[in-house]
Amino acid sequence: PCDPGTPLLTMVSMRVFVGLAMLATVGAFHMGGLVTPTRANMKLRATSSFSAPRVARSPVLGAKMAFDMEALIQETKDIRLKHLEEQAMHSLKVSAENFDNVVFPNACIAGDCVITHLLDRLDLLKNGKVKIMVVDTFHLFDETMPFVADLEKHYGFKAEVFQAEGCKDKAEYDKKFGADLWKIDIEQYDKVCKVEPFQRGLKTLKTEVMINGRRRDHGAERAYIDLFENAPIGGGLAKVNPLAYWTVEDCFDY
């Protein structure tokens, strides 16, 4: 409340001044910083706020823009995929040229299908330069092994399939280990059906470098992997990660 003795004109002027000050403060925030209001910048702000010419807009809702946004997005995606493809193919080519026994353990997931296609583009499958290894756990989806057969036919290679030791099929596995091993002892199941066949496969094929589909977007310890990993000191396999910089969206887009 103002002093009752304050002239009405002065009260109005004060309120107008305060209102303009608030307007200038808000405008300062929008411009990227707080500006101390003065009579000079108040006048400038009021003029710019109320007198600036407005940009004419199309009265038609959804009028076509100066460029096709969807086409531009697709173009940038294509540029990205082309770069990723060249990068991945280069890593595979270098591996095949520098090692005699290159092995790709293929689990038939999206990224592995991308790698299989790239290996074929480089003509590294039909000539056996890169061997495809598959671990049949006897607990795969029913479609998995038929899909492997489709890949073999389409790309002209023969996969090296490894299973639980001493078991040629699911019936023998069930007889030896029990059909419910994965329920009773999951760690033993992993060892028998995954770890041991995988390690035996790499050893049998005398693997020098292993191709795999690990990507940075898998997170955890994979978040910082690069295209190549040297073999650990004292032994181990060299690894190539052709999809290191891809995302799962890239894989499906490709």
Side-chain angles (χ1 to χ4, degrees):
C2 295
D3 185 337
T6 304
L8 180 60
L9 181 59
T10 302
M11 291 171 60
V12 173
S13 298
M14 289 176 64
R15 290 183 178 179
V16 170
F17 182 79
V18 171
L20 290 174
M22 293 175 65
L23 179 63
T25 302
V26 172
F29 273 114
H30 283 291
M31 292 299 291
L34 180 60
V35 178
T36 303
T38 65
R39 288 184 180 274
N41 64 33
M42 297 292 278
K43 183 177 181 181
L44 176 61
R45 184 68 65 196
T47 301
S48 62
S49 297
F50 298 109
S51 304
R54 297 176 62 85
V55 178
R57 297 190 179 188
S58 171
V60 181
L61 183 62
K64 186 174 179 63
M65 302 176 66
F67 61 90
D68 189 330
M69 183 177 292
E70 293 300 323
L72 182 62
I73 291 174
Q74 186 58 52
E75 180 183 2
T76 57
K77 281 189 174 184
D78 292 342
I79 292 172
R80 171 181 169 79
L81 282 177
K82 185 176 187 300
H83 172 70
L84 290 172
E85 178 189 59
E86 292 174 350
Q87 199 174 55
M89 292 180 71
H90 174 70
S91 68
L92 294 171
K93 182 174 181 290
V94 168
S95 300
E97 289 175 347
N98 288 275
F99 293 88
D100 292 327
N101 297 314
V102 184
V103 176
F104 172 39
N106 193 329
C108 297
I109 56 179
D112 289 358
C113 291
V114 170
I115 294 174
T116 302
H117 179 73
L118 296 179
L119 288 171
D120 178 70
R121 290 274 306 277
L122 292 167
D123 198 27
L124 296 174
L125 293 179
K126 292 183 178 68
N127 61 13
K129 180 61 178 176
V130 173
K131 297 181 177 64
I132 300 289
M133 185 182 98
V134 173
V135 173
D136 183 359
T137 65
F138 296 131
H139 294 77
L140 301 172
F141 292 114
D142 292 339
E143 298 85 357
T144 303
M145 294 312 293
F147 181 63
V148 171
D150 290 342
L151 291 177
E152 290 176 324
K153 182 178 180 180
H154 183 78
Y155 291 113
F157 69 89
K158 183 63 178 175
E160 301 284 347
V161 181
F162 293 86
Q163 304 154 335
E165 190 170 20
C167 303
K168 67 180 181 180
D169 54 33
K170 182 67 162 57
E172 288 192 3
Y173 166 83
D174 288 347
K175 183 178 180 180
K176 185 173 182 179
F177 296 101
D180 295 329
L181 178 62
W182 65 276
K183 297 180 183 179
I184 300 170
D185 190 341
I186 188 64
E187 291 186 2
Q188 181 65 9
Y189 162 78
D190 284 343
K191 180 180 178 181
V192 169
C193 295
K194 299 179 181 180
V195 178
E196 191 281 329
F198 184 83
Q199 293 179 342
R200 175 162 39 89
L202 294 177
K203 185 176 181 179
T204 299
L205 298 175
K206 300 179 180 179
T207 308
E208 293 178 329
V209 62
M210 179 176 67
I211 299 169
N212 67 85
R214 296 184 304 162
R215 304 189 310 269
R216 287 188 171 191
D217 71 337
H218 286 148
E221 74 280 359
R222 301 184 181 187
Y224 304 99
I225 61 173
D226 285 309
L227 290 174
F228 302 98
E229 295 180 63
N230 290 326
I233 297 174
L237 300 173
K239 298 177 183 177
V240 56
N241 310 308
L243 305 185
Y245 310 134
W246 294 50
T247 65
V248 64
E249 182 182 0
D250 293 327
C251 294
F252 280 99
D253 284 346
Y254 186 80

